[in-house]
Amino acid sequence: MARITDDELDDIRARNPIADIAMGYTKLRRSGGKLLGPCPMCGGKTTSGRFEVFEKDNSWACYAYCNTGGDVISLVQQVEGCDFRAAIEKLGGRTAIDAARAKELFEERERKRLAREKTSADYREAERKRLHRTWKQTQPIHGTTAAWYLEGRGLQLPEHCPGLRFAPAMPYWHGETVDDHGRKAGPRKIHEGPAMVGAFIRPDGKFGGLHLTWLNVMTSLDDVTPAAPVKAEILDPDTGEVLNSKKMRGSKTGAYIAIVMHAAPRRLVIGEGIETVLSVWTAMHQAGRELGDMAFWAAGDLGNLAGRANKTVSHPTLRRPNGQPQKVPDRFPDLDDPGLSVPDSIEELILLGDGDSEKVLTENAMERAARRYARAGRAIRIAFAPVGLDFNDLLKAAAA
Ligand SMILES: [Zn+2]
C-alpha cells in the first residue's frame, strides 16, 4: 500500500471527530474545555476523571495508568489493539482527495501551526515580562552579599555596573511535579535566598532575561572566608543531587550583561562569565590603566559569545559513550546568526577564553567570534588564561 499523505491523514481525522469516536468506547462528561471519563484502555477513573479528550486540538490523553495520549488514530489503535493501517480502515479508510480539499486541509494545518507558534511566542514574551518585573525589584549591588561574594574572590566592582544587582530572597524553582491526578504541574520552589542578579540586554536594547547566582546568607565581608562556601548549596529534595547554583532564564541569544558600558566605547572586552570579565576589569583598574573608553560585557556562555557555527566537527580526542567522536561547533561562524551586536564604534575587541573550559571547544569559539566580529579598522585580540586557570585564578595568584 502506498504511503498515506498528510492530507489523507488530516482528512481521516476531520471525518472522525475525536469526541464521537471516544464516546463509542467510554462514557464521557463535559468539564471546561474538555471531556472526562473512565479510560477505555486501563479503566482508570476518579471523581475528576482521568481519561481526557480535547476537542480543540482533536487529541486525547490518559493520566491514570496509560500515561500516554495522541490523535484519533492512536486512540483506535490502543483501544482495539490494532495497527496503524487497521485503525485507518476502521475510521473509514482513506478517500481520494481533490485539489480543493487538499488546499482546505493545508490551510487548516497552517492555521493550527500559526496558533501554536503564537502561543509559544506569547509564552516567551510573558516570561520575559515576568523576569523584567523581578529585575525591577532588585537592589543596587554595592554593600550587599553579592558584592562581598565578589570581593571574597578578589574582585572589585566598577562604581557604575548597570548589569549587576542584588536580590535578598530569590526563589529557586526546580523540576516537574505531578499532582494527585497524575497530571504534570510546573516546577516547585525548593530554595529561597540571596542572589547576584545579572540582566541580559538583547540586540534591540530591550531586557531579555536574568543570570542568577544563589549565595549563602552573609552579614558582612568578614563572613567570606576560604573555609565557608559563599555560593549556596542547593539539593534536589527528591534525589539529593547537588544542583547548579547558577541559572540563566529568559532569552540570552545575542544578549549580554553590561559590566561596564559607555555610549560609544572604542574598546570592548567580552568574556563568558561575570567573574571572568570582572577579573580582567579589576586587574586593569588596579594597574591604573586608562579605561574611560573601554566597555566590559559578559556573554553568559561560550555559544552566546561566539554565535552559531556553520557546522559541527569531530573532537580530535573526546569520544561519546558509543565510541564515536564527540561533535563540537566549528571555528567558522554561521553568518545567518548575527551573534552579539558589537557597536560600530569598537576599534579594539578583546575576547577572553578561560583556560579551565574544554580546550578545543573554547579555541573554536574564540576563532569563530574573531571571524564573526572582524571589521576593517578593528583589531581583535584573543586572551587565553593559562591551561587549568581562569582569569579569576590568575588575579588571586597575582594578589597573593
Ligand atoms: Zn488509561
Side-chain angles (χ1 to χ4, degrees):
M1 192 164 26
R3 197 182 75 85
I4 302 173
T5 65
D6 286 346
D7 283 346
E8 288 168 337
L9 287 175
D10 276 352
D11 180 55
I12 291 162
R13 292 186 192 108
R15 281 187 280 124
N16 294 279
I18 185 109
D20 296 355
I21 302 300
M23 294 227 248
Y25 293 134
T26 184
K27 200 170 151 49
L28 296 172
R29 66 185 171 81
R30 195 166 293 279
S31 169
K34 54 197 174 187
L35 294 157
L36 310 172
C39 177
M41 280 84 71
C42 66
K45 59 172 189 267
T46 63
T47 46
S48 59
R50 293 200 159 183
F51 176 78
E52 301 188 353
V53 167
F54 312 94
E55 291 173 290
K56 189 162 58 99
D57 58 359
N58 249 324
S59 72
W60 65 274
C62 169
Y63 297 103
Y65 303 107
C66 305
N67 211 6
T68 182
D71 67 356
V72 68
I73 302 166
S74 77
L75 179 67
V76 172
Q77 279 182 265
Q78 302 253 354
V79 180
E80 310 265 356
C82 64
D83 69 9
F84 183 72
R85 300 274 174 187
I88 283 171
E89 288 314 309
K90 282 181 199 294
L91 292 170
R94 53 174 166 176
T95 50
I97 293 189
D98 61 22
R101 177 72 179 137
K103 184 165 175 285
E104 210 174 276
L105 291 166
F106 172 77
E107 283 168 356
E108 179 62 22
R109 259 204 306 278
E110 280 298 287
R111 238 192 328 275
K112 282 185 182 160
R113 189 180 61 78
L114 288 172
R116 271 198 309 275
E117 271 177 17
K118 186 172 179 310
T119 309
S120 73
D122 286 352
Y123 173 81
R124 281 197 303 274
E125 179 58 11
E127 169 77 349
R128 191 187 72 83
K129 285 188 172 150
R130 259 194 306 278
L131 294 169
H132 196 198
R133 279 197 295 277
T134 303
W135 171 250
K136 285 190 281 194
Q137 286 162 11
T138 55
Q139 305 169 2
I141 191 168
H142 293 88
T144 68
T145 296
W148 299 325
Y149 154 71
L150 295 169
E151 280 181 58
R153 302 189 62 172
L155 302 172
Q156 285 184 275
L157 273 168
E159 199 178 323
H160 183 60
C161 182
L164 290 182
R165 291 175 67 85
F166 173 69
M170 178 65 71
Y172 188 107
W173 299 86
H174 178 69
E176 291 282 336
T177 50
V178 177
D179 69 12
D180 294 344
H181 305 292
R183 293 184 189 85
K184 276 191 184 154
R188 62 182 156 151
K189 187 167 87 176
I190 60 164
H191 173 85
E192 186 173 279
M196 178 169 76
V197 186
F200 281 106
I201 306 300
R202 298 195 310 200
D204 64 2
K206 277 191 178 174
F207 172 91
L210 294 179
H211 183 293
L212 302 162
T213 309
W214 276 268
L215 305 166
N216 281 327
V217 176
M218 290 179 253
T219 49
S220 78
L221 183 55
D222 297 337
D223 289 350
V224 184
T225 66
V230 284
K231 274 191 212 163
E233 190 181 68
I234 302 165
L235 301 178
D236 185 321
D238 297 327
T239 64
E241 179 198 355
V242 179
L243 302 170
N244 199 338
S245 55
K246 284 190 185 190
K247 266 191 189 196
M248 292 188 268
R249 291 180 60 202
S251 138
K252 69 174 195 308
T253 306
Y256 64 88
I257 300 166
I259 307 293
V260 177
M261 198 53 201
H262 304 288
R266 289 198 312 113
R267 296 182 292 164
L268 173 62
V269 175
I270 312 177
E272 199 181 332
I274 293 166
E275 293 84 349
T276 300
V277 175
L278 271 177
S279 299
V280 173
W281 183 85
T282 300
M284 295 180 92
H285 177 69
Q286 286 174 347
R289 299 275 290 274
E290 171 51 52
L291 301 176
D293 63 350
M294 203 162 191
F296 290 76
W297 295 1
D301 63 31
L302 267 186
N304 205 37
L305 189 158
R308 207 163 53 222
N310 66 338
K311 62 177 181 351
T312 58
V313 291
S314 296
H315 191 284
T317 53
L318 291 182
R319 292 288 174 272
R320 289 184 290 187
N322 66 5
Q324 295 289 311
Q326 185 93 48
K327 292 285 186 181
V328 289
D330 196 12
R331 294 168 296 148
F332 298 93
D334 174 353
L335 293 176
D336 279 346
D337 172 15
L340 300 171
S341 52
V342 173
D344 290 335
S345 62
I346 297 299
E347 294 163 16
E348 185 180 354
L349 177 63
I350 299 142
L351 303 166
L352 307 177
D354 277 351
D356 65 349
S357 308
E358 204 286 312
K359 188 166 173 285
V360 176
L361 196 73
T362 310
E363 285 178 357
N364 283 3
M366 291 297 133
E367 271 197 59
R368 197 160 78 237
R371 288 193 166 94
R372 180 187 297 285
Y373 304 123
R375 297 284 181 280
R378 176 182 292 168
I380 299 192
R381 300 182 211 292
I382 301 175
F384 278 105
V387 174
L389 287 175
D390 63 19
F391 289 95
N392 189 228
D393 295 328
L394 277 186
L395 184 67
K396 279 190 288 192

